[in-house]
Amino acid sequence: MNEQQLSERLEKVVSYVQQGARIADIGSDHAYLPCYAVQKGQVEFAIAGEVVEGPFQSATKQVRSLDLSERISVRKGDGLAVIDSEDRVDTVVIAGMGGALIRSILEADPEKLMGVKRLILQPNIGAHQLREWGEKNQWGLVAESIIKEDSKIYEILVLEPSEKVVRYSNGERLLGPFLMQERSIVFQEKWQNELANWTQIQAKIDATRAKNEEKLAELTAKIKIIKDVLK
Ligand code: SAM
């Protein structure tokens, strides 16, 4: 993978960036996504935000080596803190982290999302955390994708601010409203795997003498949700 040839995962993520957008890519270790989008003429301006020194240096080097410093600003900082109002960022991309971490980044600086019209999120796990965040903060899903690359399955969520109340059923929150409708082969594989895994854990907890009843009830509820969707 490099700035010209993205991974299939990042290619799918960048496909949701609208023409002429001003983006902030948060957690941009090599700045591949901003470099690719600027070189293709897809975005006007990009921030590559990184909190860790090593990846920040890699992103800085990459942008300099491609002579893209006028269009891509590499900034060191935590999450959305790297965005300033004068940047007029309209799209935020956060990819390749867990859903809980992405959610904590969104919650840490909610004022930075004023003026942002689109969030493109790619959680490696725990996508339901982001649908739940959307419900609480009135950001509705406008698209979702699920892909498999190098035997790993990734979900991509696209959210926009919503005038209406955002509410999902338990099934939609856990599995994704668009993904449930589409029911792709990859989607079925992911949830068959989760079902097998959670059923095994359920049996193990059930077999212990001092059962964690709360955990058991939570797992049983999740298993029922998946079974209902897959049937
Ligand atoms: N976004 C790229 C991708 O999808 O391929 C890189 C993913 S990499 C696994 C996650 C990156 O996010 C790491 O470089 C890490 O240092 C950075 N990161 C983690 N927490 C962050 C935060 N709070 N703010 C900015 N960057 C963060």
Side-chain angles (χ1 to χ4, degrees), residues 1 3 10 14 29 37 46 80 112 123 165-166 174 183-184 189 192 198-199 204 231:
M1 181 171 69
E3 77 291 343
L10 284 182
V14 85
D29 59 355
L80 305 178
K112 299 281 185 177
V165 172
V166 181
L174 187 60
R183 285 176 79 89
S184 68
E189 183 184 335
Q192 291 292 0
W198 290 351
T199 306
K204 274 193 194 141
K231 77 179 173 209

Side-chain angles (χ1 to χ4, degrees), residues 21-48:
R22 297 177 68 84
I23 68 167
D25 181 33
I26 305 299
S28 192
D29 59 355
H30 286 87
Y32 286 145
L33 186 143
C35 289
Y36 176 91
V38 165
Q39 283 186 317
K40 282 206 129 195
Q42 192 179 353
V43 307
E44 209 175 285
F45 166 79
I47 296 169

Side-chain angles (χ1 to χ4, degrees), residues 15-220:
S15 76
Y16 288 113
V17 173
Q18 289 157 315
Q19 186 61 37
R22 297 177 68 84
I23 68 167
D25 181 33
I26 305 299
S28 192
D29 59 355
H30 286 87
Y32 286 145
L33 186 143
C35 289
Y36 176 91
V38 165
Q39 283 186 317
K40 282 206 129 195
Q42 192 179 353
V43 307
E44 209 175 285
F45 166 79
I47 296 169
E50 245 304 329
V51 75
V52 177
E53 179 65 19
F56 165 73
Q57 289 301 342
S58 306
T60 305
K61 230 162 106 182
Q62 177 75 0
V63 170
R64 280 201 196 129
S65 73
L66 295 169
D67 204 13
L68 293 175
S69 303
E70 277 188 19
R71 307 281 295 278
I72 304 175
S73 173
V74 184
R75 299 181 188 170
K76 191 167 171 209
D78 190 355
L80 305 178
V82 294
I83 303 174
D84 291 325
S85 55
E86 25 326 344
D87 297 321
R88 290 178 289 116
V89 163
D90 54 33
T91 304
V92 171
V93 176
I94 315 180
M97 306 175 203
L101 178 55
I102 297 179
R103 183 179 177 151
S104 73
I105 289 175
L106 295 172
E107 283 174 346
D109 291 293
E111 72 286 353
K112 299 281 185 177
L113 294 177
M114 277 165 69
V116 174
K117 297 187 187 79
R118 178 167 275 215
L119 293 173
I120 307 168
L121 309 176
Q122 184 269 299
N124 290 339
I125 51 163
H128 66 279
Q129 299 250 14
L130 302 175
R131 298 189 188 99
E132 204 175 271
W133 174 87
E135 288 180 286
K136 290 214 167 106
N137 295 281
Q138 240 163 283
W139 282 76
L141 284 161
V142 295
E144 290 176 307
S145 282
I146 188 162
I147 62 151
K148 186 173 177 181
E149 183 177 45
D150 298 334
S151 68
K152 288 201 191 109
I153 294 179
Y154 301 103
E155 287 168 77
I156 297 137
L157 279 57
V158 185
L159 296 94
E160 293 184 354
S162 170
E163 306 254 296
K164 288 189 258 159
V165 172
V166 181
R167 275 290 164 270
Y168 302 118
S169 67
N170 289 337
E172 288 173 332
R173 194 173 301 118
L174 187 60
L175 291 91
F178 290 91
L179 303 178
M180 268 168 66
Q181 281 287 323
E182 190 191 39
R183 285 176 79 89
S184 68
I185 305 274
V186 177
F187 170 85
Q188 293 185 50
E189 183 184 335
K190 175 185 166 86
W191 290 106
Q192 291 292 0
N193 289 345
E194 295 284 11
L195 187 59
N197 186 25
W198 290 351
T199 306
Q200 233 179 29
I201 299 171
Q202 183 193 38
K204 274 193 194 141
I205 298 177
D206 207 21
T208 56
R209 235 186 294 150
K211 293 192 220 332
N212 182 339
E213 295 290 352
E214 200 183 322
K215 178 92 188 144
L216 193 60
E218 189 192 314
L219 263 176
T220 308

